[in-house]
Amino acid sequence: MEWEVVVGLETHVQLSTKSKIFSGASASFGAEPNTHACPVDLALPGCLPVLNKGAVDKAIRFGLAMKSKVANRSVFARKNYFYPDLPKGYQISQFEEPIVIGGHLTFNVENPDGTLYEKTVNLTRAHLEEDAGKSVHGIVHGKTGIDLNRAGTPLLEIVSEPDMRSAAEAVAYAKALHALVMWIGISDGDLQKGNFRCDANVSVRPKGQKELNTRCEIKNLNSFRFLQNAIEYEVRRQIEVMTDGGQVVQATRLYDPDKDETREMRTKEDSMDYRYFPDPDLLPLEVSDEWIEETKKTMPELPNAMRRRLIADFGISQADAHQLTSSRDLAVFFEKTANLAKDKKAVANWIRGEVLSRLNAAELPISQCPLTPEQLASTLNRLTEGVINQKGARTLFTAFWDGDKRDADTLIAELGLKQISDSGAIEAIVDEVIGKNPKMVQEYQSGKAKAFNALVGQVMRIAKGKANPAQVNEILKKKLG
């Protein structure tokens, strides 16, 4: 039997506000346990929540980016369940009336052969809620500690439709969503801090069947690799269960990266188990059309639109545009450089190659690149103009990378990088090489192409790498007949 995979993702994005969603306590990460927990977070008697306007504004920005409907009226509800790090005994969330409804995300997915295809995933909703605290194990032997610093930090939970048909599509969607929330400035997306984490709802059905089969939810996946591995394992597990004549039980599962398997955490609750009801301490959230329009004016150009524009304006490939718009900072760096450079394709090649490889080696983001767009553009312009060759361009690039503030022409002169473009000087060197290497000349003239490259190498050695390669090739071919 052929099987079809069905995946939907629930993604929790921590919003980058200074304070928590319902209190004035700091939402910053890394403080000593329980130092960023105020009476509201601790659920002390008499403390009332007050909604953070910044969190609402970021939810609106997300809705606009996804072409969703931003609700003029949404309602906060109490989601009731017991957990040690949930002081109130309930979580403030949104249920029946969320702030963001519908929308879609279009992105590229890579085929096994390296080609790309376009995929669109529809959204069900996105709603605001507060995060819970954190259970800490191992500090006191045999006991669990509770850190409430994270309790009350603002989250936007983004719920997709079950539109993905493979682990690869789910990972591509998660990566595109991760890039987008950082692009529009609503989250820092730090996976290691848990600021972007996914729950994967996975089911399998016979190919051609329209009805969805029972799903299992894999919780708290904060790595794209873990997301892929967890889905692939769960798909294999469910197929084995059904192939053996069993039935998949709806459950919440956890992924164990050490064993590369999912295991059951608890049988899956439905919404009725949480006893949702409107929170009596919070008025309905009213978002005016004027507020939405004002927020729209502050929105940046979105990745897909920028990708199309860069292809049209600079003639770069789809693959170039896809990588160069993987983050907003990278896209801005490329565009600034391309506007100053004569060869736009060379800019794309150097950023994708030399710049990104050095940043990765130094573990630096593009925002901390030691090289400026102006310096890269001046390097590539001198290369295009024939003032320097590839080797000289790399030397100049390295000087700028290492912090040299002098302009390109001064460095070219002082480092002796200017290439020899005088045809008479090059011709003299070529004549010298031909005279000293009659055997190589004879081999070339008898049809051995490698001999020509050896002669070029001899010319470049005598010229100390400064001869114009195109002129060397042209003059040498002419001399050899």
Side-chain angles (χ1 to χ4, degrees):
M1 182 180 291
E2 287 192 71
W3 299 93
E4 182 177 55
V5 178
V6 181
V7 180
L9 293 187
E10 299 171 15
T11 307
H12 294 84
V13 176
Q14 182 171 321
L15 302 176
S16 53
T17 56
K18 291 182 179 179
S19 57
K20 296 183 179 180
I21 189 168
F22 297 118
S23 78
S26 172
S28 62
F29 179 87
E32 287 295 313
N34 297 310
T35 56
H36 288 173
C38 72
V40 175
D41 308 322
L42 298 171
L44 297 184
C47 295
L48 296 175
V50 178
L51 180 59
N52 185 333
K53 184 180 178 182
V56 178
D57 191 65
K58 292 180 188 299
I60 295 171
R61 289 172 72 83
F62 177 79
L64 292 171
M66 301 297 283
K67 295 182 172 55
S68 310
K69 173 179 172 54
V70 179
N72 294 114
R73 182 183 187 275
S74 59
V75 174
F76 285 98
R78 292 184 178 183
K79 181 181 180 181
N80 296 274
Y81 64 95
F82 171 77
Y83 214 69
D85 55 22
L86 192 68
K88 295 189 293 289
Y90 61 84
Q91 177 190 29
I92 301 176
S93 182
Q94 292 184 317
F95 181 53
E96 292 180 337
E97 297 182 69
I99 187 169
V100 174
I101 304 162
H104 64 271
L105 181 63
T106 300
F107 53 94
N108 288 325
V109 186
E110 188 172 348
N111 287 308
D113 63 0
T115 58
L116 301 175
Y117 67 93
E118 194 171 78
K119 174 75 177 181
T120 296
V121 169
N122 295 298
L123 298 189
T124 308
R125 56 189 278 148
H127 58 264
L128 288 165
E129 64 182 22
E130 62 179 347
D131 205 350
K134 180 181 180 182
S135 297
V136 182
H137 310 286
I139 294 179
V140 179
H141 180 69
K143 295 186 178 181
T144 296
I146 302 296
D147 180 7
L148 295 175
N149 280 350
R150 201 171 67 182
T153 54
L155 300 179
L156 186 68
E157 182 174 349
I158 303 158
V159 183
S160 82
E161 291 289 310
D163 289 344
M164 289 155 274
R165 295 294 173 264
S166 67
E169 287 189 356
V171 171
Y173 163 82
K175 286 183 175 178
L177 190 63
H178 180 253
L180 180 71
V181 298
M182 293 191 296
W183 187 288
I184 62 177
I186 68 170
S187 175
D188 65 11
D190 194 323
L191 286 92
Q192 291 185 336
K193 295 178 182 176
N195 295 353
F196 185 96
R197 54 191 192 268
C198 299
D199 301 339
N201 289 286
V202 181
S203 65
V204 177
R205 63 186 175 187
K207 207 158 192 177
Q209 177 180 308
K210 293 183 179 180
E211 298 79 14
L212 296 174
N213 277 354
T214 302
R215 74 185 191 278
C216 288
E217 182 181 27
I218 312 167
K219 296 287 286 185
N220 290 329
L221 299 163
N222 64 345
S223 151
F224 298 126
R225 182 168 60 88
F226 291 172
L227 175 63
Q228 174 137 2
N229 292 349
I231 293 172
E232 289 175 348
Y233 174 86
E234 184 61 21
V235 167
R236 292 194 301 270
R237 187 190 72 83
Q238 291 188 21
I239 289 174
E240 287 176 8
V241 168
M242 288 187 284
T243 302
D244 291 343
Q247 290 187 331
V248 174
V249 177
Q250 184 174 328
T252 299
R253 302 180 70 86
L254 292 177
Y255 174 67
D256 185 338
D258 295 327
K259 296 182 179 179
D260 189 24
E261 65 181 21
T262 66
R263 62 174 183 268
E264 187 170 309
M265 181 182 175
R266 58 180 180 269
T267 54
K268 176 65 179 171
E269 303 92 342
D270 288 312
S271 58
M272 65 185 73
D273 296 314
Y274 292 116
R275 306 184 310 282
Y276 282 100
F277 64 88
D279 193 310
D281 293 335
L282 288 160
L283 292 170
L285 172 58
E286 304 275 348
V287 176
S288 65
D289 291 334
E290 290 75 19
W291 188 354
I292 296 171
E293 286 303 313
E294 284 300 313
T295 303
K296 189 180 293 184
K297 292 175 185 176
T298 68
M299 292 288 289
E301 183 180 25
L302 296 176
N304 284 340
M306 192 174 195
R307 202 170 291 134
R308 290 191 293 269
R309 183 174 61 78
L310 294 181
I311 292 171
D313 290 355
F314 301 120
I316 61 175
S317 68
Q318 184 182 7
D320 285 341
H322 187 260
Q323 184 170 1
L324 293 168
T325 54
S326 59
S327 78
R328 189 178 172 193
D329 287 339
L330 182 60
V332 169
F333 187 96
F334 166 74
E335 187 168 17
K336 283 182 178 178
T337 308
N339 282 328
L340 297 169
K342 296 177 181 179
D343 187 342
K344 319 300 183 184
K345 177 63 178 175
V347 175
N349 289 341
W350 276 68
I351 290 177
R352 291 185 68 185
E354 199 73 25
V355 173
L356 289 181
S357 65
R358 292 202 183 205
L359 287 172
N360 290 337
E363 297 184 346
L364 290 174
I366 186 68
S367 59
Q368 295 177 27
C369 182
L371 185 82
T372 67
E374 292 77 14
Q375 289 172 327
L376 180 57
S378 64
T379 300
L380 297 182
N381 284 341
R382 299 305 179 274
L383 179 62
T384 303
E385 293 159 2
V387 175
I388 55 177
N389 57 24
Q390 284 283 349
K391 183 179 177 182
R394 286 193 170 83
T395 302
L396 184 57
F397 179 98
T398 299
F400 284 137
W401 190 274
D402 291 340
D404 202 312
K405 302 299 181 186
R406 291 173 288 179
D407 65 85
D409 293 323
T410 300
L411 280 169
I412 289 168
E414 294 195 8
L415 296 174
L417 302 178
K418 190 170 183 178
Q419 74 176 353
I420 301 170
S421 297
D422 182 278
S423 58
I426 294 174
E427 190 169 348
I429 298 173
V430 169
D431 287 339
E432 180 185 347
V433 169
I434 289 174
K436 288 181 177 179
N437 297 277
K439 186 178 179 181
M440 284 187 191
V441 171
Q442 188 178 6
E443 287 178 355
Y444 171 71
Q445 290 175 338
S446 65
K448 292 183 178 179
K450 288 182 179 179
F452 182 83
N453 294 333
L455 290 167
V456 170
Q458 291 289 330
V459 174
M460 297 304 289
R461 183 182 61 80
I462 294 172
K464 296 180 179 178
K466 296 179 182 178
N468 186 313
Q471 286 182 275
V472 170
N473 277 266
E474 182 183 349
I475 293 171
L476 186 58
K477 283 181 180 177
K478 185 178 179 181
K479 291 278 184 180
L480 295 173

